[in-house]
Amino acid sequence: MGKWHKILTIMVSVVSFITILFINGSGISFEGDAQAYVQGAYYLTHDNSYLTHDYYTGSTTVQKHFPPGLSLILSIGILFDIPIEIFGIFLNACSFSLLNAIMFYFLLSQFNKVSIALLTILWLYHPQFIIVYRWLSSEPVFILFVFSG
């Protein structure tokens, strides 16, 4: 891989990062599961346990339904006093940026043609796919792990 391939990969990554910042300019949306992940992050940070609070019964129990991965990542933002909405946008932007960089670099190394690599990653910008990065959810991190494996 030449120097230009690495520069192009960085450029693709930066454009991807800015794209997610742009589409989340009015704020990130919270899907239903986000509340459980955010609660888990707060409990992990403040109580050192993975709990959830049931607002109907008023009880606090161990979180069993959602895995702690996203909550662990979100707790990093809480430790540094970064608002969860801002940290969520940053996390989604990093996930999308890394996904594009990994795919672009892989395709470029396999086919050695910039046009094939660029055209292939364009499907990541499809509205049905990119909408995932408008929400605070575990999917952006999951997609990154699946494609980088």
Side-chain angles (χ1 to χ4, degrees), residues 34-77:
Q35 180 181 351
Y37 287 118
V38 171
Q39 269 186 0
Y42 278 108
Y43 278 114
L44 280 169
T45 307
H46 301 309
D47 295 338
N48 295 326
S49 55
Y50 191 51
L51 303 173
T52 187
H53 182 75
D54 186 348
Y55 291 102
Y56 296 111
T57 63
S59 63
T60 302
T61 58
V62 174
Q63 176 62 267
K64 296 177 185 172
H65 185 68
F66 297 100
L70 182 60
S71 293
L72 283 168
I73 295 170
L74 292 174
S75 65
I76 295 168

Coordinates of all heavy atoms in Angstrom, one line a residue, residues 34-77:
A34 N -32.2 2.5 24.6 CA -31.2 3.5 25.1 C -31.4 3.8 26.6 O -30.3 4.0 27.3 CB -31.3 4.7 24.3
Q35 N -32.6 3.8 27.0 CA -32.8 4.2 28.5 C -32.1 3.1 29.3 O -31.5 3.5 30.3 CB -34.3 4.2 28.8 CG -34.6 4.5 30.2 CD -36.0 4.6 30.5 OE1 -36.9 4.5 29.7 NE2 -36.4 4.6 31.8
A36 N -32.2 1.9 29.0 CA -31.6 0.8 29.8 C -30.1 0.9 29.7 O -29.4 0.7 30.7 CB -32.1 -0.6 29.3
Y37 N -29.5 1.2 28.5 CA -28.1 1.3 28.4 C -27.6 2.5 29.2 O -26.5 2.5 29.9 CB -27.7 1.4 27.0 CG -27.8 0.2 26.2 CD1 -28.6 0.0 25.1 CD2 -27.1 -1.0 26.6 CE1 -28.8 -1.1 24.4 CE2 -27.2 -2.2 25.9 CZ -28.0 -2.2 24.8 OH -28.1 -3.4 24.1
V38 N -28.3 3.6 29.1 CA -27.9 4.9 29.9 C -28.0 4.6 31.4 O -27.1 5.0 32.1 CB -28.7 6.1 29.4 CG1 -28.4 7.3 30.3 CG2 -28.4 6.4 28.0
Q39 N -29.1 4.0 31.8 CA -29.2 3.7 33.2 C -28.1 2.8 33.7 O -27.5 3.0 34.7 CB -30.5 2.9 33.5 CG -31.7 3.8 33.8 CD -32.9 2.9 34.2 OE1 -32.8 1.7 34.2 NE2 -34.0 3.6 34.5
G40 N -27.8 1.8 32.9 CA -26.7 0.9 33.2 C -25.4 1.6 33.3 O -24.6 1.3 34.2
A41 N -25.1 2.5 32.4 CA -23.9 3.3 32.5 C -23.8 4.1 33.8 O -22.7 4.2 34.4 CB -23.8 4.2 31.2
Y42 N -24.9 4.8 34.1 CA -24.9 5.6 35.4 C -24.7 4.7 36.6 O -23.9 5.1 37.5 CB -26.2 6.4 35.5 CG -26.2 7.7 34.7 CD1 -26.9 7.8 33.6 CD2 -25.4 8.7 35.1 CE1 -26.9 9.0 32.8 CE2 -25.4 9.9 34.4 CZ -26.1 10.0 33.3 OH -26.1 11.2 32.5
Y43 N -25.3 3.6 36.6 CA -25.2 2.7 37.8 C -23.7 2.1 37.8 O -23.1 2.0 38.9 CB -26.2 1.5 37.8 CG -27.5 1.9 38.3 CD1 -28.6 2.0 37.6 CD2 -27.6 2.2 39.7 CE1 -29.9 2.3 38.1 CE2 -28.9 2.6 40.2 CZ -30.0 2.6 39.4 OH -31.2 3.0 40.0
L44 N -23.2 1.8 36.6 CA -21.8 1.3 36.6 C -20.8 2.3 37.1 O -19.9 2.0 37.8 CB -21.4 0.9 35.2 CG -21.9 -0.5 34.7 CD1 -21.7 -0.6 33.2 CD2 -21.2 -1.6 35.4
T45 N -21.1 3.6 36.7 CA -20.2 4.6 37.1 C -20.3 5.0 38.6 O -19.3 5.2 39.3 CB -20.5 5.9 36.3 OG1 -20.4 5.5 34.9 CG2 -19.5 7.0 36.5
H46 N -21.5 5.1 39.1 CA -21.8 5.6 40.5 C -21.9 4.5 41.5 O -21.5 4.7 42.7 CB -23.0 6.4 40.5 CG -22.9 7.6 39.6 ND1 -21.9 8.5 39.6 CD2 -23.8 8.1 38.6 CE1 -22.0 9.4 38.6 NE2 -23.2 9.2 38.0
D47 N -22.4 3.3 41.1 CA -22.6 2.3 42.1 C -21.8 1.0 41.9 O -21.9 0.1 42.7 CB -24.1 1.8 42.1 CG -25.0 2.9 42.6 OD1 -24.6 3.8 43.3 OD2 -26.2 2.8 42.2
N48 N -21.0 1.0 40.8 CA -20.1 -0.1 40.5 C -20.9 -1.4 40.3 O -20.5 -2.5 40.7 CB -19.0 -0.3 41.5 CG -18.0 0.8 41.6 OD1 -17.8 1.4 40.6 ND2 -17.5 1.1 42.7
S49 N -22.1 -1.3 39.8 CA -23.0 -2.5 39.6 C -23.8 -2.2 38.3 O -24.1 -1.0 38.0 CB -23.8 -2.8 40.8 OG -24.6 -1.7 41.1
Y50 N -24.3 -3.3 37.7 CA -25.1 -3.1 36.5 C -26.5 -3.3 36.8 O -27.0 -4.4 36.8 CB -24.6 -4.1 35.4 CG -25.1 -3.9 34.0 CD1 -25.1 -2.7 33.4 CD2 -25.7 -5.0 33.3 CE1 -25.6 -2.5 32.2 CE2 -26.2 -4.8 32.0 CZ -26.1 -3.5 31.5 OH -26.6 -3.3 30.2
L51 N -27.2 -2.2 37.2 CA -28.6 -2.3 37.6 C -29.5 -1.6 36.7 O -29.1 -0.8 35.8 CB -28.7 -1.7 39.0 CG -27.8 -2.3 40.1 CD1 -27.9 -1.4 41.4 CD2 -28.2 -3.7 40.4
T52 N -30.8 -1.8 36.9 CA -31.8 -1.1 36.2 C -32.9 -0.7 37.2 O -33.1 -1.4 38.2 CB -32.4 -1.9 35.0 OG1 -33.3 -1.0 34.3 CG2 -33.1 -3.1 35.5
H53 N -33.6 0.4 37.0 CA -34.6 0.9 37.9 C -36.0 0.7 37.2 O -36.1 1.2 36.1 CB -34.4 2.4 38.2 CG -35.4 2.9 39.2 ND1 -35.4 2.6 40.5 CD2 -36.5 3.7 39.0 CE1 -36.4 3.2 41.1 NE2 -37.1 3.9 40.2
D54 N -36.9 0.0 37.8 CA -38.2 -0.1 37.3 C -39.1 1.0 37.8 O -39.4 1.1 39.0 CB -38.8 -1.5 37.7 CG -40.1 -1.8 37.1 OD1 -40.7 -0.9 36.5 OD2 -40.6 -2.9 37.2
Y55 N -39.5 1.9 36.9 CA -40.3 3.1 37.3 C -41.7 2.7 37.8 O -42.3 3.5 38.5 CB -40.3 4.1 36.2 CG -38.9 4.7 36.0 CD1 -38.1 4.3 34.9 CD2 -38.5 5.7 36.9 CE1 -36.9 4.9 34.8 CE2 -37.2 6.2 36.7 CZ -36.4 5.8 35.6 OH -35.2 6.4 35.5
Y56 N -42.2 1.6 37.3 CA -43.5 1.2 37.7 C -43.6 0.7 39.2 O -44.5 1.0 39.9 CB -44.1 0.1 36.8 CG -44.2 0.6 35.4 CD1 -43.4 0.2 34.3 CD2 -45.2 1.6 35.1 CE1 -43.5 0.7 33.1 CE2 -45.3 2.1 33.8 CZ -44.5 1.6 32.8 OH -44.6 2.1 31.5
T57 N -42.6 -0.2 39.5 CA -42.6 -0.7 40.9 C -41.8 0.0 41.8 O -41.9 -0.1 43.0 CB -42.2 -2.2 40.8 OG1 -40.8 -2.3 40.4 CG2 -43.1 -3.0 39.9
G58 N -40.8 0.8 41.3 CA -39.9 1.6 42.2 C -38.7 0.8 42.6 O -38.0 1.2 43.5
S59 N -38.6 -0.4 42.1 CA -37.5 -1.3 42.6 C -36.3 -1.2 41.6 O -36.4 -0.9 40.5 CB -38.0 -2.8 42.6 OG -38.3 -3.2 41.4
T60 N -35.1 -1.5 42.2 CA -33.9 -1.6 41.4 C -33.4 -3.0 41.4 O -33.3 -3.6 42.5 CB -32.8 -0.7 42.0 OG1 -33.4 0.7 42.1 CG2 -31.6 -0.7 41.2
T61 N -33.2 -3.5 40.2 CA -32.7 -4.9 40.1 C -31.5 -5.0 39.2 O -31.2 -4.0 38.5 CB -33.9 -5.8 39.5 OG1 -34.2 -5.3 38.2 CG2 -35.1 -5.8 40.4
V62 N -30.9 -6.2 39.2 CA -29.8 -6.4 38.3 C -30.2 -6.4 36.8 O -31.3 -7.1 36.5 CB -29.1 -7.7 38.6 CG1 -28.0 -8.1 37.6 CG2 -28.5 -7.7 40.1
Q63 N -29.5 -5.7 36.0 CA -29.9 -5.7 34.6 C -29.5 -7.0 33.9 O -28.4 -7.4 33.9 CB -29.2 -4.5 33.9 CG -29.3 -4.4 32.4 CD -30.8 -4.2 32.0 OE1 -31.5 -5.1 31.7 NE2 -31.1 -2.9 32.0
K64 N -30.6 -7.8 33.4 CA -30.3 -9.1 32.8 C -30.7 -9.1 31.4 O -30.3 -10.0 30.6 CB -31.2 -10.1 33.6 CG -30.8 -10.3 35.0 CD -31.7 -11.3 35.6 CE -31.4 -11.4 37.1 NZ -32.4 -12.2 37.8
H65 N -31.4 -8.1 30.9 CA -31.9 -8.2 29.5 C -30.9 -7.6 28.5 O -30.8 -8.1 27.4 CB -33.2 -7.4 29.4 CG -33.9 -7.5 28.1 ND1 -34.4 -8.6 27.6 CD2 -34.1 -6.5 27.1 CE1 -34.9 -8.4 26.4 NE2 -34.7 -7.1 26.1
F66 N -30.2 -6.6 28.9 CA -29.2 -6.0 27.9 C -27.8 -6.3 28.3 O -27.4 -6.1 29.5 CB -29.5 -4.5 27.9 CG -30.8 -4.1 27.4 CD1 -31.8 -3.7 28.3 CD2 -31.1 -4.1 26.0 CE1 -33.1 -3.4 27.8 CE2 -32.4 -3.7 25.6 CZ -33.3 -3.4 26.5
P67 N -26.9 -6.7 27.4 CA -25.5 -6.9 27.7 C -24.9 -5.5 28.0 O -25.3 -4.5 27.6 CB -24.9 -7.4 26.4 CG -25.9 -7.2 25.3 CD -27.3 -6.9 26.0
P68 N -23.8 -5.6 28.9 CA -23.2 -4.3 29.4 C -22.3 -3.6 28.5 O -21.7 -2.6 28.9 CB -22.5 -4.8 30.6 CG -22.1 -6.2 30.3 CD -23.3 -6.8 29.5
G69 N -22.0 -4.1 27.3 CA -21.0 -3.5 26.4 C -21.2 -2.0 26.1 O -20.3 -1.2 26.4
L70 N -22.4 -1.6 25.6 CA -22.6 -0.2 25.4 C -22.6 0.6 26.7 O -22.1 1.7 26.7 CB -23.9 0.0 24.6 CG -24.2 1.4 24.2 CD1 -23.2 2.0 23.3 CD2 -25.6 1.5 23.5
S71 N -23.2 0.1 27.7 CA -23.2 0.8 29.0 C -21.7 1.0 29.5 O -21.4 2.1 30.0 CB -23.9 0.0 30.1 OG -25.3 -0.1 29.7
L72 N -20.8 0.1 29.3 CA -19.4 0.3 29.7 C -18.8 1.4 28.9 O -18.1 2.2 29.4 CB -18.6 -1.0 29.5 CG -18.8 -2.1 30.5 CD1 -18.2 -3.4 30.1 CD2 -18.2 -1.7 31.8
I73 N -19.1 1.4 27.6 CA -18.5 2.5 26.7 C -19.1 3.9 27.1 O -18.4 4.8 27.3 CB -18.8 2.2 25.2 CG1 -18.0 0.9 24.8 CG2 -18.4 3.4 24.4 CD1 -18.4 0.4 23.5
L74 N -20.4 3.9 27.4 CA -21.1 5.2 27.8 C -20.6 5.7 29.1 O -20.5 6.9 29.4 CB -22.6 5.0 27.8 CG -23.3 4.8 26.4 CD1 -24.8 4.6 26.6 CD2 -23.1 6.0 25.5
S75 N -20.2 4.7 30.0 CA -19.7 5.1 31.3 C -18.4 5.9 31.2 O -18.1 6.7 32.1 CB -19.6 3.9 32.2 OG -18.6 3.0 31.8
I76 N -17.7 5.7 30.2 CA -16.4 6.5 30.0 C -16.8 8.0 29.8 O -16.1 8.8 30.5 CB -15.7 6.0 28.7 CG1 -15.2 4.6 28.9 CG2 -14.5 6.9 28.4 CD1 -14.6 3.9 27.7
G77 N -17.8 8.3 29.1 CA -18.2 9.7 28.9 C -18.7 10.2 30.2 O -18.5 11.4 30.6

